[in-house]
Amino acid sequence: MININYDLKTINDKRNIIKVKLFETSRIKSDNFTNISNYDLNILFKLYDEIFLESWFHHNFKGKIKFTLSRQLTRSAGNTRTKKNIAISKPEDIEFEIKISLNHLTDFDKVDRYKYVGGIVVKNKLDSLMLIFEHELCHVIEFLIYKKSSCRKKPFKNLIYGLFGQTESTHKLVSATEINIQKYGYKPGDKVDFEYEGKVLRGIITRINKRATVMSLDINGNYVDSLGNHYMKYYIPLNYLSKKAEF
């Protein structure tokens, strides 16, 4: 399996074949689908195994792979996990869990810009899903070969380029942070006012996700900066913030 290398035309042709079969056999019926389930990820895996991997998993893999759509993945588009003892596990005891971020799929069109997965422009949700899936599948393959996996290192990069033509290990998709920055106009480093337990407090935004993380000066705070200033940390909905602070 490690020696499979496709040219870019072959890769694109195989992806198109997968799309057609996916439309025929899953709940996914269009490039910008509205319905998807964990079962659809199982179908996608079987198609990738058949069309890209010459059914290697079907004929050789004795373990288990669980596929999950996750709302908990907010920063990464996908995640692959296995037990730490994979190097000494029996083939039939090896288990993987691949999680795909549902957030990155549902938020795909909420910001108008180019999106990338693995260095490749993705124009719709299905392209995004497939390339994220390819990335996670390469983690599984690398775990099986080397008993460890890192997308930052050369073996992984060679593997994912040879199989799927992906040139980068990171993705540039739409995050909750980007959506909230666009919607509310706040960004990390902004100084803000907010109300907490009947008091108006002031602080600095250090992170934005679904809520803003705000650090506010407080002599009793548990967080200390390099100058010895103490802060309390607050998690505040962005619509509760005001940018009127002057300090």
Side-chain angles (χ1 to χ4, degrees):
M1 186 198 314
I2 191 67
N3 294 320
I4 296 176
N5 285 279
Y6 297 115
D7 60 70
L8 296 181
K9 182 182 183 304
T10 300
I11 290 169
N12 287 327
D13 289 344
K14 288 179 177 293
R15 285 193 184 120
N16 287 331
I17 293 170
I18 287 177
K19 282 188 178 184
V20 171
K21 292 194 174 187
L22 197 62
F23 292 155
E24 294 173 349
T25 58
S26 77
R27 295 177 66 188
I28 298 172
K29 299 301 180 184
S30 68
D31 287 335
N32 283 304
F33 54 85
T34 55
N35 292 317
I36 185 172
S37 68
N38 293 342
Y39 182 69
D40 298 320
L41 299 182
N42 281 276
I43 295 173
L44 190 60
F45 170 68
K46 291 176 182 178
L47 291 173
Y48 266 99
D49 186 32
E50 173 191 342
I51 293 166
F52 272 95
L53 303 175
E54 301 172 353
S55 296
W56 185 93
F57 278 92
H58 177 72
H59 294 301
N60 298 283
F61 183 64
K62 297 179 181 180
K64 297 178 181 178
I65 306 179
K66 179 181 179 182
F67 300 95
T68 307
L69 292 162
S70 174
R71 282 289 186 189
Q72 281 67 50
L73 287 180
T74 57
R75 301 182 70 180
S76 60
N79 179 270
T80 297
R81 291 189 176 184
T82 189
K83 295 178 181 178
K84 293 182 179 179
N85 64 347
I86 185 174
I88 58 173
S89 295
K90 296 179 181 178
E92 61 270 22
D93 293 333
I94 294 175
E95 296 181 1
F96 294 97
E97 181 176 17
I98 291 180
K99 291 184 178 182
I100 303 295
S101 170
L102 194 55
N103 304 295
H104 284 82
L105 297 178
T106 56
D107 293 343
F108 184 86
D109 289 321
K110 291 185 179 180
V111 176
D112 184 17
R113 64 163 173 79
Y114 286 107
K115 291 95 177 178
Y116 299 84
V117 176
I120 298 172
V121 174
V122 286
K123 297 180 179 180
N124 52 61
K125 292 179 184 178
L126 184 52
D127 286 345
S128 178
L129 169 63
M130 290 176 66
L131 270 70
I132 293 167
F133 196 88
E134 292 168 6
H135 182 105
E136 301 310 321
L137 187 55
C138 283
H139 276 302
V140 172
I141 295 169
E142 191 175 38
F143 270 122
L144 291 173
I145 295 169
Y146 300 111
K147 313 308 177 187
K148 58 184 179 180
S149 181
S150 173
C151 56
R152 296 181 179 87
K153 295 185 178 179
K154 190 173 181 179
F156 183 95
K157 291 180 178 180
N158 289 341
L159 175 64
I160 199 167
Y161 181 75
L163 279 174
F164 303 118
Q166 294 195 33
T167 58
E168 296 182 7
S169 300
T170 56
H171 315 313
K172 298 180 179 68
L173 295 169
V174 176
S175 66
T177 299
E178 187 176 1
I179 292 169
N180 282 326
I181 288 174
Q182 178 175 272
K183 181 177 180 180
Y184 294 101
Y186 296 117
K187 63 183 183 300
D190 284 348
K191 300 172 182 179
V192 292
D193 289 344
F194 60 98
E195 186 174 325
Y196 185 80
E197 294 184 347
K199 297 180 180 179
V200 176
L201 302 178
R202 292 181 171 182
I204 299 175
I205 297 174
T206 59
R207 182 180 174 187
I208 295 175
N209 202 335
K210 292 182 179 179
R211 296 177 294 174
T213 302
V214 183
M215 305 299 289
S216 180
L217 279 169
D218 190 319
I219 59 173
N220 298 313
N222 297 323
Y223 299 89
V224 185
D225 66 15
S226 59
L227 299 176
N229 298 310
H230 286 248
Y231 296 85
M232 289 290 288
K233 181 189 289 186
Y234 298 89
Y235 299 100
I236 309 296
L238 276 81
N239 59 326
Y240 283 26
L241 298 175
S242 169
K243 227 175 180 179
K244 297 177 181 179
E246 294 292 342
F247 59 105

